[in-house]
């Protein structure tokens, strides 16, 4: 390690006094002006991680659905998955080390993780469209170069595209070509092959209005447009030329406020969807003839995909194990529909993509979506091999056609991470193949009315949970109180969990009517306020 270079460059990216940040599910996020030293040090860490695993590592500069003034950075592991949890700790240590300790911390990480500094390092870099992202990715490059690493800067890409590139590179091209053209070609080819198999006489041209959150999704969709068949007509709104990123638009805004984004001209029964700022989440919605807004969130997306895959799996007659993975935030009626009507096993895990992804890997076909629209489908190596073999060798027409559709789904879905573009194409193909309108999709089940609240507390660590965050272990008496409140309402449930980032406790409640869901959420928030050290005035209904 060149101590002189480390000292020199570290001084160019000084750490503000007294600032500590924690690497979480979303990496680091903060106001952009506080991140220069962090991204420089994550360049160092990416080089170390690459040397440790002798593979290419990704580093993405984005703050996803946060306001434009914020930014962030996260690392991508060799198969396009999220950074290994033990390295999240190293990231936090490195980010918060004082300048004079930097070399010592790097040496400690090398010892703990058995990193050989003489090995080569290779890092792929991507960034979103925020004004601060270009300068920050330059600081990343400084970090990589201090440790003698090689890098490839992809410039402006969606987060899922960077995950895809990293996976392609480390599978020696088995997953695809590590270029944007490779990504566009693979997805569009699989999409076209799928809709070619559609025998329904529904609308021949499918119009879709897309709110791109004034972010990177707009740029990349425009680049991809020439690859789409004429059957799919996409209309891009909030393309970033006029308004600020994520301002009154994007998947997060639509999901939280349960209303259409600004900047999108929505007529009754138009099919619409929204990406978030870095295009790794998607939600659909429409307005009925009476003018009512209908949101189709991640739970309903998972349900549609599950229906389609379950039918195909039944036709190929292999004993593939399929399951859907959800979090406690999934609407109760989606869980009921999947388990009782579709007869698909459902597993509940802690909030956070890494928990969902990890659980989904246990099945031949694992579907996971968070209610916020982030999700994907994972196929086991064995299932994928078998499906591709059936396409080549199966004599029975029905079986072979089903296997072909499954093969195209495998190629269309970005299995590394939730991907708004890939998920959108999968949804559009399924709707076309099944001849479904967005209203018919929505009518699969009715969501139970629900309410999300948060309560400020002095210390969020007083709340400890179990059973995939559905029950509170501490403080004493809180869970008993919640149980008693839930008993008062029909079809109800409620849970509380500490925020991962701030001193607030998040509350979720659902019941048979909106009035009851609101009342239950309020009563639970009062219980949290009194038993878990609430700050300020008690919550008002």
């Amino acid at each position: 390690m060149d101590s002189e270079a480390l000292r020199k460059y570290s001084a160019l990216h000084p750490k503000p006094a007294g600032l500590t940040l924690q690497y979480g599910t979303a990496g680091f996020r903060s106001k952009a002006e506080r991140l220069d030293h962090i991204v420089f040090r994550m360049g160092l860490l990416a080089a170390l991680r690459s040397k440790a695993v002798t593979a290419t590592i990704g580093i993405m500069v984005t703050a996803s659905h946060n306001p434009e003034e914020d930014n962030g950075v996260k690392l991508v592991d060799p198969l396009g998955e999220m950074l290994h949890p033990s390295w999240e700790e190293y990231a936090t240590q490195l980010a918060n080390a004082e300048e004079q300790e930097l070399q010592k911390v790097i040496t400690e990480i090398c010892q703990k993780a058995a990193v050989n500094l003489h090995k080569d390092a290779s890092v792929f870099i991507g960034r979103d469209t925020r004004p601060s992202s270009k300068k920050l990715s330059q600081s990343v490059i400084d970090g990589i170069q201090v440790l003698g690493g090689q890098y490839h800067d992809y410039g402006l890409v969606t987060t899922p595209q960077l995950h895809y590139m990293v996976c392609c590179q480390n599978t020696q091209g088995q997953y695809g070509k590590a270029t944007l053209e490779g990504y566009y070609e693979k997805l569009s080819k699989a999409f076209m092959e799928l809709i070619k198999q559609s025998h329904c006489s529904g609308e021949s041209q499918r119009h879709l209005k897309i709110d791109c959150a004034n972010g990177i999704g707009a740029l990349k969709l425009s680049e991809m447009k020439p690859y789409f068949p004429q059957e799919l007509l996409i209309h891009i709104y909030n393309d970033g030329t006029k308004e600020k990123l994520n301002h009154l638009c994007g998947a997060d805004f639509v999901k939280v406020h349960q209303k259409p984004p600004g900047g999108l001209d929505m007529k009754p029964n138009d099919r619409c969807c929204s990406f978030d700022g870095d295009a790794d989440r998607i939600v659909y919605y429409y307005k009925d003839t009476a003018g009512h807004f209908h949101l189709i969130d991640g739970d309903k997306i998972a349900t549609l995909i599950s229906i389609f895959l379950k039918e195909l799996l039944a036709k190929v007659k292999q004993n593939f194990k399929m399951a859907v993975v959800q979090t406690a935030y999934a609407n109760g009626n989606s869980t009921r529909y999947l388990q009782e009507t579709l007869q698909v096993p459902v597993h509940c895990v802690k909030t956070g993509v890494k928990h969902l992804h990890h659980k989904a890997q246990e099945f031949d076909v694992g579907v996971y979506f968070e209610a916020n629209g982030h999700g994907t489908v994972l196929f086991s190596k064995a299932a994928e091999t078998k499906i591709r073999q059936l396409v080549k060798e199966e004599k029975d027409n029905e079986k072979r056609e089903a296997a072909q559709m499954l093969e195209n789904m495998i190629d269309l879905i970005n299995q590394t991470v939730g991907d708004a573009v890939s998920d959108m194409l999968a949804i559009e193909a399924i709707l076309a193949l099944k001849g479904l309108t967005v209203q018919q999709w929505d009518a699969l089940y009715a969501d139970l009315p629900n309410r999300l609240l948060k309560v400020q507390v002095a210390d969020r660590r007083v709340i400890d949970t179990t059973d995939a965050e559905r029950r509170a272990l501490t403080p004493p008496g809180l869970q008993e109180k919640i149980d008693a409140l839930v008993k008062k309402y029909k079809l109800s449930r409620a849970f509380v969990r500490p925020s991962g980032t701030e001193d607030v406790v998040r509350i979720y409640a659902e019941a048979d009517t909106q009035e009851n869901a609101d009342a239950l959420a309020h009563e639970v928030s009062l219980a949290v306020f009194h038993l878990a050290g609430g700050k300020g005035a008690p919550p008002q209904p």
Side-chain angles (χ1 to χ4, degrees):
M1 180 166 39
D2 183 343
S3 323
E4 197 39 54
L6 182 65
R7 250 203 308 279
K8 187 180 120 191
Y9 276 96
S10 182
L12 293 175
H13 305 285
K15 172 182 176 294
L19 177 66
T20 57
L21 289 173
Q22 175 112 26
Y23 193 102
T25 301
F28 289 108
R29 284 203 194 152
S30 187
K31 291 273 170 278
E33 61 272 13
R34 296 164 61 183
L35 284 171
D36 183 61
H37 70 296
I38 297 268
V39 292
F40 164 69
R41 292 169 182 206
M42 288 309 99
L44 296 171
L45 192 77
L48 292 174
R49 179 74 179 144
S50 175
K51 289 170 192 271
V53 291
T54 40
T56 296
I57 293 295
I59 192 161
M60 183 72 195
V61 177
T62 181
S64 188
H65 55 274
N66 281 33
E68 189 171 89
E69 315 55 82
D70 292 357
N71 217 323
V73 62
K74 55 184 173 187
L75 272 67
V76 178
D77 254 359
L79 292 178
E81 70 276 60
M82 297 168 86
L83 182 63
H84 191 278
S86 62
W87 280 73
E88 288 185 5
E89 280 182 41
Y90 302 151
T92 301
Q93 285 163 7
L94 195 58
N96 296 321
E98 294 308 327
E99 218 122 323
Q100 61 279 10
E101 298 173 342
L102 209 50
Q103 185 163 354
K104 183 170 132 269
V105 173
I106 291 173
T107 307
E108 278 170 15
I109 292 171
C110 289
Q111 283 166 348
K112 280 188 203 149
V115 180
N116 177 353
L117 282 174
H118 300 298
K119 282 201 168 158
D120 291 339
S122 148
V123 182
F124 283 0
I125 308 164
R127 65 172 191 272
D128 71 10
T129 55
R130 291 163 197 272
S132 58
S133 291
K134 192 168 178 18
K135 187 177 170 295
L136 289 173
S137 64
Q138 197 47 57
S139 305
V140 168
I141 292 172
D142 283 353
I144 296 165
Q145 289 188 309
V146 165
L147 291 179
Q150 300 293 312
Y151 68 90
H152 180 84
D153 185 2
Y154 280 93
L156 293 163
V157 287
T158 70
T159 296
Q161 284 175 333
L162 185 76
H163 284 254
Y164 175 90
M165 305 300 173
V166 172
C167 184
C168 291
Q169 181 69 14
N170 289 315
T171 54
Q172 284 70 51
Q174 268 181 295
Y175 194 65
K177 283 208 292 274
T179 62
L180 277 171
E181 293 69 42
Y183 172 92
Y184 297 145
E185 278 164 11
K186 180 180 172 181
L187 267 62
S188 57
K189 179 174 174 282
F191 176 73
M192 289 200 272
E193 290 292 324
L194 259 177
I195 58 168
K196 236 189 353 216
Q197 293 175 276
S198 129
H199 308 298
C200 69
S201 53
E203 43 176 341
S204 54
Q205 285 197 312
R206 304 183 61 82
H207 289 267
L208 177 64
K209 293 184 170 179
I210 307 171
D211 151 35
C212 288
N214 290 310
I216 184 71
L219 284 180
K220 299 297 134 179
L221 265 186
S222 306
E223 281 175 19
M224 197 173 179
K225 245 183 169 174
Y227 294 85
F228 290 149
Q230 62 266 37
E231 288 92 336
L232 181 65
L233 282 176
I234 61 169
H235 309 275
I236 297 174
Y237 295 83
N238 296 323
D239 64 359
T241 53
K242 301 184 198 63
E243 292 287 341
K244 279 172 75 169
L245 175 70
N246 294 326
H247 181 60
L248 303 180
C249 62
D252 200 58
F253 173 84
V254 174
K255 168 76 179 150
V256 171
H257 296 280
Q258 306 267 330
K259 65 180 188 188
L264 185 140
D265 159 42
M266 203 175 159
K267 298 191 175 57
N269 296 332
D270 275 351
R271 195 166 64 253
C272 307
C273 67
S274 284
F275 292 4
D276 71 335
D278 64 340
D280 65 357
R281 293 183 186 184
I282 184 170
V283 294
Y284 270 70
Y285 44 92
Y286 67 97
K287 221 166 43 180
D288 62 27
T289 41
H292 295 303
F293 175 79
H294 295 256
L295 174 71
I296 299 180
D297 65 4
D299 298 336
K300 266 206 177 129
I301 293 173
T303 305
L304 178 73
I305 293 173
S306 300
I307 289 171
F308 183 65
L309 291 175
K310 183 159 194 248
E311 284 172 7
L312 294 177
L313 292 171
K315 284 178 184 164
V316 295
K317 296 185 169 60
Q318 301 293 317
N319 251 337
F320 290 141
K321 274 171 64 180
M322 175 179 165
V324 177
V325 187
Q326 297 183 325
T327 71
Y329 286 110
N331 194 277
N333 276 356
S334 76
T335 313
R336 255 182 224 109
Y337 181 85
L338 286 162
Q339 285 176 324
E340 293 166 20
T341 308
L342 260 196
Q343 310 264 304
V344 170
V346 178
H347 296 267
C348 186
V349 297
K350 280 164 68 169
T351 306
V353 179
K354 58 185 175 190
H355 303 297
L356 289 143
H357 193 91
H358 189 69
K359 186 71 185 172
Q361 286 173 320
E362 295 177 16
F363 308 98
D364 289 311
V365 181
V367 180
Y368 75 81
F369 271 83
E370 291 189 291
N372 64 26
H374 185 286
T376 187
V377 184
L378 304 184
F379 295 86
S380 72
K381 208 75 215 129
E384 183 180 331
T385 307
K386 185 70 195 166
I387 288 162
R388 295 200 194 273
Q389 183 193 345
L390 286 170
V391 172
K392 289 196 188 77
E393 299 168 9
E394 181 54 55
K395 302 283 183 283
D396 178 87
N397 280 349
E398 193 190 24
K399 260 191 187 180
R400 191 180 61 253
E401 270 187 27
Q404 258 165 340
M405 282 195 189
L406 283 167
E407 180 174 54
N408 289 321
M409 277 299 277
I410 290 171
D411 291 334
L412 182 54
I413 294 273
N414 185 344
Q415 294 185 58
T416 64
V417 72
D419 181 337
V421 175
S422 149
D423 289 339
M424 172 194 88
L425 291 172
I427 291 162
E428 289 301 309
I430 295 169
L431 292 175
L433 284 162
K434 295 190 70 63
L436 287 173
T437 63
V438 69
Q439 296 82 347
Q440 289 167 316
W441 172 20
D442 186 33
L444 288 172
Y445 62 83
D447 275 326
L448 278 173
N450 57 80
R451 178 63 64 210
L452 281 161
L453 294 177
K454 51 187 186 183
V455 175
Q456 286 211 304
V457 291
D459 181 1
R460 66 182 184 267
R461 290 170 302 186
V462 300
I463 300 246
D464 190 19
T465 64
T466 183
D467 187 25
E469 302 178 312
R470 289 175 289 190
R471 297 188 67 75
L473 290 171
T474 61
L478 178 59
Q479 188 57 51
E480 291 74 11
K481 183 75 182 150
I482 294 171
D483 290 342
L485 291 169
V486 164
K487 282 203 182 96
K488 291 165 53 179
Y489 302 98
K490 280 200 188 114
L491 296 177
S492 65
R493 70 182 179 103
F495 66 88
V496 303
R497 56 180 285 272
S499 156
T501 47
E502 48 187 335
D503 278 321
V504 300
V505 175
R506 301 191 189 282
I507 289 148
Y508 177 88
E510 61 185 31
D512 57 343
T513 66
Q514 190 61 57
E515 202 182 348
N516 286 345
D518 290 349
L520 177 57
H522 175 63
E523 289 169 338
V524 172
S525 73
L526 282 174
V528 168
F529 183 85
H530 292 303
L531 293 168
K535 270 172 73 173
Q540 296 303 309

